Amino acid sequence: MPVAITLTVNGETLTRLVEPRETLADFLRRDLELTGTHTGCEMGVCGACLVMLDGLPAHACLMFAVQADGTRVETVEGLTGSAALADLQRAFHERNALQCGFCTPGMLISAEGLLARKAMPSREEIRDALSGNYCRCTGYEAIVDAIETVARRRAAGEAALPFAEEPA
Amino acid sequence: MNRPLSALDRPNSYIGRSVSRPNAKRLLAGRGRYVTDLVLPRMLHAAFLRSPYAHARIVAIDVDAARAMPGVRLVATGADLAKLCKPWTGTLDHFKGMTSVPQLPLPLEEVLWAGQAVVAVVADSRAEAEDAVEAIVIEFEELPAVVDIDLARAPGADRAAAGLENNLCFHSRLDTGGIDTIFADAAHVVEEEFHFGRHTAVTLEPRAIVADYDCSEGRLTVHHATQTPYQFQDLYSRHYGIPEARVRVIAPDIGGSFGMKLHVYHEDMAVVGLSMLTGRPVKFVADRVESFVSDIHARDHRVRARMALDDAGTILAMDVEDVTAIGPFSTYPRTSAVEGNQVIRLIGAPYRMRNYRAELSVVFQNKVQTSQYRAVGHPIACAVTERLLDMAAAKVGLDPAAIRERNLIPDDAYPCESPTGFRFEALSHQQCLARLKTMMGYERLRDEQATLRARGIHRGIGIATFVEISNPSPAFYGIGGARISAQDGAIVKVTPSGEVRCLISVTEQGQGTETIIGQIVADQLGIPCERVQVVTGDTEVTPHGGATWACRGAGIGGETALQAARRLRANILALAATILQAKPEALTLQDGIVVDAVTGAERISLAEIARIAYFRSDTLPPDASAQLSVAHHYAPQGYPFAFTNGIQGCHVELDVETGFVKILKHWVVEDCGRIINPLLVDEQMRGGVVQGLGAAFFEECLYNDGGQLTNGSLADYLVPMACEMPDIEIGHVETPTADTVLGAKGCGEAGTAAASAAALNAVNDALAPFGTSIAQIPMTPARLLKALGRI
Ligand code: FES
Ligand code: FES
């Protein structure tokens, strides 16, 4: 039997009926069409499904949508809209820290989570923090470089340049 | 400040420049459109019942209960789909004597590996389809599973599939003659038996397909996460009897491929038939567990090899036997024999050796099919050659770098031919080795190694030289009868507002194809990069071509774009000359403006030319021809392949108590000819290296004796993680091919080609003081502890 849940997704509070067996990842992707959240393993290993749940990175594949009742969820779409990830996105773009892009939303959320915990992580700490994010394309180094750059820029108080193009 | 102006100082000189990928922005914003994301009106979902047995006869199938389950629209068996789909056989004519049993989307009588799809359920949701799969009852009669490569080849062995005479798919022998005598007389002989595990691509987005058959028009549209849309257009058309012009294959954003997504999979073929049977779009996305048991696997070789040398350490000959197991049939349409064939033909390729003998046996067994995956055959050939060379160095008393210096084909000896018949146009092994030694600080690392050894810290240094096949001509597949194109096509056109669109047959999986094509077109036309839009991945839109595989995107696709852009430029200038009443030779394009070729004075903008051509043709003279779209095809000519070369270095530290290896650093010097975008080339290298290091240390599909995959989940199968990977330093040497104007060769596979070989040599270097060695990858801690005699 479908169950009603109420949660805030990307700043919008909504109520939906969900199947008890539906994961949060499937709920976001299918019911809300937020397909920026990906699934690569559906068992909490690859990190492609990471979203911000009450401000902390969480695996959307590992929890049921019903468990997200009452929470605040932010996905890559929402974090792009609010420009929260703009400096990371820009640095990833400049450094070519993505190829196929399938791991990228999860990587950005992991990176954001790391930099919130630790402003100036070492390369080693960045690599450790990314252990739950698989990337099959890049070999990781460019991602580490991009995150390092953002940490430095944030520490220097550089205002994030917008990532999205403004409508003309 | 008197630096001479380089080509890069010219306006719009984009070839050779690091340009970020414009199409990466949507991926960063979560706006990628992968097949996995796709939803079509009235779309249904497929799930498959899979064989629990590695080999069994299907006695009876009962689908009645499944048909009655909620949401179920169709339950289809092998017989249902066989009525629509012609069988396929994965052989190529130029592999003489090759054999394989015909395949259908779903089997009729016999299952050939554990995980093979047997029955399809189509339902309103994937969950409902999976529920109904549970309700299917199949009676199997288990048959003996062929697993071991030696038992498989024994006389009277059980056969991996009913239609086979024996388990040998393909056999090949190369012999330059007199090998036994050379070995008998040689001052030094080294030999080894190597084992290369099976591994698999693990693209982060699994295989995904949506087939949409429109009965009203007899038209099939397939949204397919593949590298090769044209190949699949041809296959769907021929196997389902739909005229080619009514088959459209669209490859949108793809979450990684690495060669894995260009083969025919049973489920993908089935989904097309399921859409025809239901008259509705049908989607199938493999879940991760399904990926492990149905994506192609790769490698799986046992190589026995020896090398003969004279007393100074010059290679005299090599003698090789490769036995490789490929699953129960050969993959379609590219076969499963290319890998082994490349292994035996690439061994020894960087060196002056003239005498060579090799034997290849490609063997059937009851595991999932293996086929081409990034760097096809190269890692095996490279590891065998390079490890034997290190063993020889130790025996002769030479440093590993020195024995390579002695044996590499000199940079001034080209063109030349390998003993296996490969023709090399121009390679740069000596330059690359010298550069690598500098980058690594090779001598210093050796000193440091000696010092640390005295303190019980065991570091190893490994180097590995490689060649890589790129830009293949029809010699690869076309001559074998496969309808796989070696040419590419592009349409380049000026839009009414003076922008440029390039529609091209090469495809994008994140490596940056669209970016480099845009750079080439902008460069050749003389317009800003931002004004070029590149479109790929849709058979309805772009000309027919080979697309992206075997490192052909930059070399062949890039040359296609270059030639097309030059033709369009000539048309633009001719039209401008007509409008300006000037001579075309007196004009050139710069930053999107036609200027005087000598003075650089602005004459007319491209936008203005386009406006006149499209909207005011009445103002043109009657004989003026405004051809602002050009369609152009290019097929590789000259050498059958453009070989690239390079060398890699790996520095590791071995913990002899735990068997754990820390990769401290990795270096690559590579020569892929003309570099179009250094940023993208470097990241192709790094990504490739990490896949090679994965094979060296972590990745292996483990099977039990019954042919069951025992680690088929992402929690059990190890892929390299960020914390395990080193920083990778890249250096370049540029030897452009003279076969094209562009001069580019491939770079996507070079990283993978030699990384595992360099790692194998590094670990063995660390093991050397213990008088032991390892000749198997992945080099797991358990295997290393065993080599050390600790377990
Ligand atoms: S899909 Fe959630 S961790 Fe892989
Ligand atoms: S960019 Fe493809 S998986 Fe990371």
Side-chain angles (χ1 to χ4, degrees):
Chain A
M1 278 306 279
V3 181
I5 57 169
T6 300
L7 70 173
T8 304
V9 179
N10 296 332
E12 192 182 333
T13 303
L14 26 96
T15 300
R16 289 284 194 282
L17 285 176
V18 296
E19 291 285 339
R21 67 174 173 182
E22 187 168 9
T23 63
L24 176 60
D26 284 346
F27 173 69
L28 293 170
R29 288 178 51 77
R30 268 203 311 252
D31 298 19
L32 303 186
E33 299 180 342
L34 293 167
T35 51
T37 299
H38 300 151
T39 57
C41 69
E42 297 174 281
M43 60 188 304
V45 180
C46 75
C49 65
L50 287 171
V51 295
M52 287 292 184
L53 187 84
D54 293 330
L56 292 175
H59 291 101
C61 75
L62 281 187
M63 63 191 290
F64 292 112
V66 290
Q67 294 172 291
D69 189 26
T71 62
R72 186 166 48 85
V73 176
E74 282 155 304
T75 68
V76 67
E77 291 91 342
L79 296 166
T80 301
S82 66
L85 298 174
D87 53 357
L88 278 164
Q89 287 164 319
R90 173 170 289 271
F92 270 58
H93 188 239
E94 286 165 359
R95 181 60 190 84
N96 198 39
L98 70 159
Q99 289 181 28
C100 79
F102 206 75
C103 68
T104 309
M107 286 286 179
L108 291 169
I109 283 166
S110 250
E112 183 62 19
L114 166 68
L115 295 180
R117 278 198 315 276
K118 175 131 201 186
M120 281 294 273
S122 66
R123 288 181 77 77
E124 200 116 317
E125 286 169 321
I126 296 172
R127 284 187 178 275
D128 271 342
L130 295 180
S131 291
N133 290 83
Y134 286 0
C135 175
R136 235 2 207 173
C137 302
T138 64
Y140 300 109
E141 185 169 333
I143 297 173
V144 177
D145 290 347
I147 296 172
E148 204 181 25
T149 302
V150 171
R152 226 179 301 117
R153 285 182 185 163
R154 284 186 187 179
E158 279 178 42
L161 293 163
F163 176 70
E165 307 261 341
E166 297 297 326
Chain B
M1 289 308 288
N2 287 330
R3 185 175 63 92
L5 286 182
S6 82
L8 285 177
D9 295 312
R10 182 171 60 75
N12 316 128
S13 58
Y14 296 109
I15 296 176
R17 216 179 262 283
S18 287
V19 173
S20 292
R21 291 158 47 214
N23 62 0
K25 284 192 150 190
R26 69 166 181 273
L27 306 179
L28 280 157
R31 293 185 61 100
R33 284 296 169 263
Y34 303 88
V35 175
T36 322
D37 303 331
L38 187 67
V39 176
L40 295 180
R42 302 182 72 233
M43 187 174 83
L44 300 172
H45 299 263
F48 294 89
L49 180 132
R50 295 179 182 277
S51 168
Y53 298 105
H55 194 189
R57 203 168 65 79
I58 301 169
V59 180
I61 302 180
D62 180 355
V63 298
D64 289 349
R67 284 212 168 104
M69 296 281 286
V72 172
R73 302 286 170 163
L74 175 73
V75 180
T77 62
D80 299 325
L81 289 169
K83 288 182 198 134
L84 297 176
C85 181
K86 283 199 214 57
W88 62 87
T89 306
T91 54
L92 285 168
D93 302 340
H94 63 301
F95 290 135
K96 298 263 173 302
M98 181 175 191
T99 181
S100 182
V101 289
Q103 295 296 297
L104 282 166
L106 301 174
L108 299 175
E109 290 166 352
E110 189 187 17
V111 291
L112 302 176
W113 82 94
Q116 179 175 7
V118 186
V119 181
V121 177
V122 182
D124 292 344
S125 72
R126 172 70 177 243
E128 286 169 324
E130 285 178 10
D131 288 345
V133 163
E134 302 280 315
I136 297 170
V137 183
I138 303 192
E139 189 187 326
F140 290 104
E141 177 194 325
E142 198 174 354
L143 298 169
V146 177
V147 177
D148 178 82
I149 51 171
D150 290 319
L151 294 179
R153 292 180 301 152
D158 293 318
R159 286 159 303 149
L164 295 171
E165 269 174 41
N166 57 49
N167 292 316
L168 196 61
C169 168
F170 177 61
H171 183 256
S172 175
R173 211 187 286 268
L174 303 170
D175 192 352
T176 56
I179 297 296
D180 288 327
T181 318
I182 296 170
F183 271 87
D185 297 344
H188 301 285
V189 172
V190 286
E191 60 187 305
E192 186 61 279
E193 177 176 304
F194 297 89
H195 294 263
F196 299 92
R198 264 182 177 241
H199 52 89
T200 185
V202 196
T203 57
L204 207 55
E205 181 195 31
R207 277 167 35 228
I209 186 167
V210 178
D212 183 7
Y213 185 73
D214 176 352
C215 318
S216 66
E217 292 189 349
R219 198 174 279 280
L220 174 71
T221 305
V222 183
H223 305 264
H224 191 165
T226 178
Q227 298 168 238
T228 50
Y230 300 97
Q231 173 196 297
F232 282 103
Q233 178 191 35
D234 175 71
L235 292 172
Y236 296 144
S237 158
R238 284 190 296 120
H239 288 276
Y240 278 100
I242 309 167
E244 189 176 51
R246 287 192 214 160
V247 179
R248 176 181 189 179
V249 179
I250 303 170
D253 292 328
I254 295 166
S257 185
F258 319 118
M260 186 274 281
K261 291 175 183 169
L262 50 65
H263 307 290
V264 166
Y265 292 96
H266 298 74
E267 297 88 347
D268 298 0
M269 277 300 226
V271 164
V272 171
L274 297 173
S275 177
M276 294 172 80
L277 289 170
T278 55
R280 291 172 64 168
V282 177
K283 179 175 190 173
F284 171 69
V285 178
D287 66 29
R288 185 56 63 189
V289 175
E290 289 181 295
S291 299
F292 274 108
V293 295
S294 65
D295 290 358
I296 58 132
H297 292 177
R299 321 304 184 212
D300 204 349
H301 297 257
R302 184 190 66 202
V303 183
R304 294 181 173 141
R306 52 185 188 143
M307 180 184 272
L309 302 102
D310 69 13
D311 54 6
T314 307
I315 308 171
L316 300 174
M318 286 183 76
D319 185 17
V320 176
E321 185 209 19
D322 178 16
V323 184
T324 179
I326 58 161
F329 53 86
S330 166
T331 301
Y332 186 65
R334 292 168 189 250
T335 82
S336 305
V338 174
E339 161 104 356
N341 192 52
Q342 292 199 170
V343 169
I344 60 166
R345 282 169 199 278
L346 285 166
I347 282 179
Y351 301 105
R352 283 183 289 130
M353 168 188 84
R354 297 313 312 163
N355 305 296
Y356 184 63
R357 181 168 69 187
E359 187 172 349
L360 168 69
S361 300
V362 179
V363 179
F364 294 120
Q365 56 172 184
N366 295 108
K367 297 182 186 174
V368 70
Q369 60 184 332
T370 72
S371 194
Q372 283 84 302
Y373 161 68
R374 197 174 200 170
V376 187
H378 292 69
I380 315 301
C382 182
V384 168
T385 309
E386 296 299 308
R387 174 65 192 134
L388 286 179
L389 202 52
D390 267 17
M391 291 166 68
K395 206 152 185 186
V396 180
L398 282 171
D399 179 85
I403 199 165
R404 286 169 176 81
E405 272 151 11
R406 173 176 301 270
N407 283 287
L408 284 172
I409 300 173
D411 294 355
D412 60 7
Y414 296 95
C416 66
E417 198 165 310
S418 79
T420 63
F422 280 141
R423 287 164 57 211
F424 301 128
E425 180 195 7
L427 302 178
S428 56
H429 288 304
Q430 291 177 322
Q431 248 193 93
C432 288
L433 173 58
R435 175 81 65 84
L436 181 81
K437 284 175 71 180
T438 313
M439 278 166 56
M440 290 176 79
Y442 186 77
E443 316 296 342
R444 184 187 53 75
L445 280 187
R446 286 278 174 219
D447 291 346
E448 178 198 78
Q449 177 184 39
T451 319
L452 290 175
R453 255 179 204 168
R455 292 180 16 213
I457 295 171
H458 295 279
R459 293 200 169 167
I461 302 159
I463 56 179
T465 301
F466 65 91
V467 300
E468 193 220 319
I469 294 175
S470 79
N471 298 1
S473 71
F476 227 56
Y477 294 113
I479 57 161
R483 294 166 66 87
I484 297 169
S485 192
Q487 62 82 52
D488 276 295
I491 295 168
V492 193
K493 52 189 178 188
V494 181
T495 70
S497 52
E499 306 202 320
V500 171
R501 286 171 81 78
C502 175
L503 320 172
I504 190 160
S505 54
V506 285
T507 55
E508 170 85 86
Q509 294 84 42
Q511 63 278 72
T513 307
E514 293 180 357
T515 307
I516 60 159
I517 296 297
Q519 288 178 259
I520 292 165
V521 169
D523 181 285
Q524 294 297 305
L525 284 176
I527 61 171
C529 233
E530 308 74 58
R531 286 171 59 184
V532 180
Q533 186 76 38
V534 180
V535 179
T536 64
D538 184 346
T539 60
E540 204 96 314
V541 172
T542 61
H544 188 99
T548 303
W549 46 273
C551 286
R552 60 188 303 292
I556 301 175
E559 180 71 7
T560 308
L562 178 142
Q563 293 187 6
R566 286 191 170 188
R567 280 185 51 199
L568 179 61
R569 183 174 180 277
N571 290 1
I572 295 168
L573 293 180
L575 186 57
T578 305
I579 295 168
L580 298 169
Q581 297 184 324
K583 286 204 173 357
E585 312 83 73
L587 303 170
T588 190
L589 261 163
Q590 223 172 62
D591 240 1
I593 294 170
V594 173
V595 299
D596 186 290
V598 180
T599 65
E602 289 190 13
R603 301 296 308 272
I604 185 170
S605 71
L606 185 54
E608 179 61 6
I609 296 171
R611 186 192 65 82
I612 293 170
Y614 287 117
F615 306 117
R616 291 305 307 272
S617 51
D618 59 311
T619 64
L620 292 171
D623 59 342
S625 175
Q627 299 300 323
L628 294 187
S629 298
V630 159
H632 185 81
H633 289 263
Y634 167 75
Q637 280 136 15
Y639 285 82
F641 309 101
F643 279 90
T644 77
N645 70 280
I647 186 165
Q648 299 193 16
C650 188
H651 192 208
V652 300
E653 185 170 309
L654 170 67
D655 182 333
V656 293
E657 303 302 324
T658 63
F660 276 101
V661 175
K662 178 153 181 57
I663 311 165
L664 301 169
K665 177 121 186 166
H666 199 94
W667 297 263
V668 181
V669 180
E670 66 77 48
D671 183 348
C672 64
R674 174 83 64 240
I675 293 175
I676 301 162
N677 185 326
L679 178 70
L680 302 187
V681 168
D682 285 3
E683 295 319 313
Q684 279 303 298
M685 275 318 133
R686 292 198 172 96
V689 164
V690 166
Q691 285 190 4
L693 294 176
F697 293 105
F698 308 107
E699 298 185 40
E700 186 168 25
C701 301
L702 297 166
Y703 281 83
N704 68 16
D705 293 343
Q708 298 283 342
L709 182 67
T710 57
N711 64 338
S713 89
L714 215 41
D716 300 309
Y717 179 97
L718 305 177
V719 302
M721 296 189 294
C723 58
E724 299 159 331
M725 288 298 110
D727 280 346
I728 299 163
E729 202 178 318
I730 318 274
H732 301 283
V733 173
E734 262 184 275
T735 312
T737 169
D739 274 352
T740 62
V741 181
L742 184 62
K745 312 180 208 175
C747 73
E749 301 176 273
T752 309
S756 55
L760 181 68
N761 279 347
V763 170
N764 275 301
D765 188 42
L767 286 172
F770 300 91
T772 184
S773 65
I774 186 163
Q776 177 170 22
I777 63 168
M779 296 175 278
T780 59
R783 285 175 185 152
L784 286 166
L785 289 177
K786 206 153 169 221
L788 285 161
R790 312 232 164 184
I791 54 172

